[in-house]
Amino acid sequence: MEEALISKTQLTILSFLLTLTLVFALTKPEDGFVRAVDRKLLGLKKEKFSHFRFFWHDIYSGRNPSAVSIIQPPKNTSKNGFGSISMIDDPLTEGPELSSKLLGKAQGFYALASQNEAAILMSMNFHIIQGKYNGSTLTILGRNNVFNKVREMSVIGGSGLFRFARGYVLASTHKLDDPSKGDVVVEYNVYVLHY
């Protein structure tokens, strides 16, 4: 009985050592601080190409705005508000109505980054709260010239099921009722490669 126990223990140790040997054989050191890694060891399977569609609600008005101005530029420095920055926690919905199904939140900030036109630098995470992507995020970064019919920005990464994500978004204004309030609904079409 003890011999069988010893041989099972030895077999377990041998299996563990062989597994470590295999891992180190598949990951070749290229420098003192970096090495190539086989994507299968991280559980990454076949890369997918997906299209997501969201309606982004940027709301400055009302008792519970989803966008707030956090920095205003000094007066008389620019005709278009160059330098102003807003923080957002905007709803992402399935349809253009705010009452439609909530799919997630766009969280981040944007800043007027051009002295001559209404072009903003946008940095935000689309945090998904529905379906199999619940808890995953897509990170969007880019220039948004708000008066263009369609604007393109980059998907530069993600988390959860969007690890190693890359792609682009196309944004188009769906509804701008009262420019003095600043409330707007924008349709986002996200094209992303992910695992």
Side-chain angles (χ1 to χ4, degrees), residues 151-169:
R151 290 89 68 190
E152 182 175 331
M153 291 169 279
S154 301
V155 174
I156 62 167
S159 67
L161 293 179
F162 295 121
R163 290 180 188 142
F164 301 106
R166 64 195 186 287
Y168 67 99
V169 299

Side-chain angles (χ1 to χ4, degrees), residues 15 32 86 111 140 142 147 156 166:
S15 295
S86 293
I140 314 299
F147 292 123
I156 62 167
R166 64 195 186 287

Side-chain angles (χ1 to χ4, degrees), residues 47 52 54 107 122-128 133 135-142 153-169 190-195:
E47 193 170 35
F52 297 87
F54 304 104
Q107 299 170 325
M122 298 197 75
S123 176
M124 60 186 164
N125 287 316
F126 283 5
H127 177 242
I128 312 302
Y133 297 104
S136 299
T137 63
L138 288 166
T139 302
I140 314 299
L141 180 68
M153 291 169 279
S154 301
V155 174
I156 62 167
S159 67
L161 293 179
F162 295 121
R163 290 180 188 142
F164 301 106
R166 64 195 186 287
Y168 67 99
V169 299
V190 182
Y191 299 91
V192 63
L193 287 161
H194 61 99
Y195 288 96

Side-chain angles (χ1 to χ4, degrees), residues 71 81-87 109-114 118-123 142-144:
I71 295 178
F82 170 68
S84 63
I85 300 174
S86 293
M87 188 65 63
F109 66 91
Y110 55 82
L112 276 161
S114 174
I120 58 179
L121 164 68
M122 298 197 75
S123 176
R143 183 178 193 269
N144 183 345

Side-chain angles (χ1 to χ4, degrees), residues 9 14 17 26 41 49 55-56 62 76 82 99 116 135 141 164-165:
T9 304
L14 182 61
L17 291 173
L26 293 174
L41 292 175
F49 182 61
F55 286 88
W56 180 85
N76 301 324
F82 170 68
S99 61
N116 303 317
L141 180 68
F164 301 106

Side-chain angles (χ1 to χ4, degrees), residues 54-60 64-68 86-93 98 102-110 122 124-127 129 182-186 188:
F54 304 104
F55 286 88
W56 180 85
H57 300 265
D58 202 38
I59 305 165
Y60 279 92
N64 190 23
S66 66
V68 294
S86 293
M87 188 65 63
I88 61 169
D89 186 20
D90 290 345
L92 296 171
T93 61
L98 186 57
L102 183 66
L103 300 175
K105 293 289 196 103
Q107 299 170 325
F109 66 91
Y110 55 82
M122 298 197 75
M124 60 186 164
N125 287 316
F126 283 5
H127 177 242
I129 62 169
D183 295 354
V184 64
V185 179
V186 177
Y188 274 84

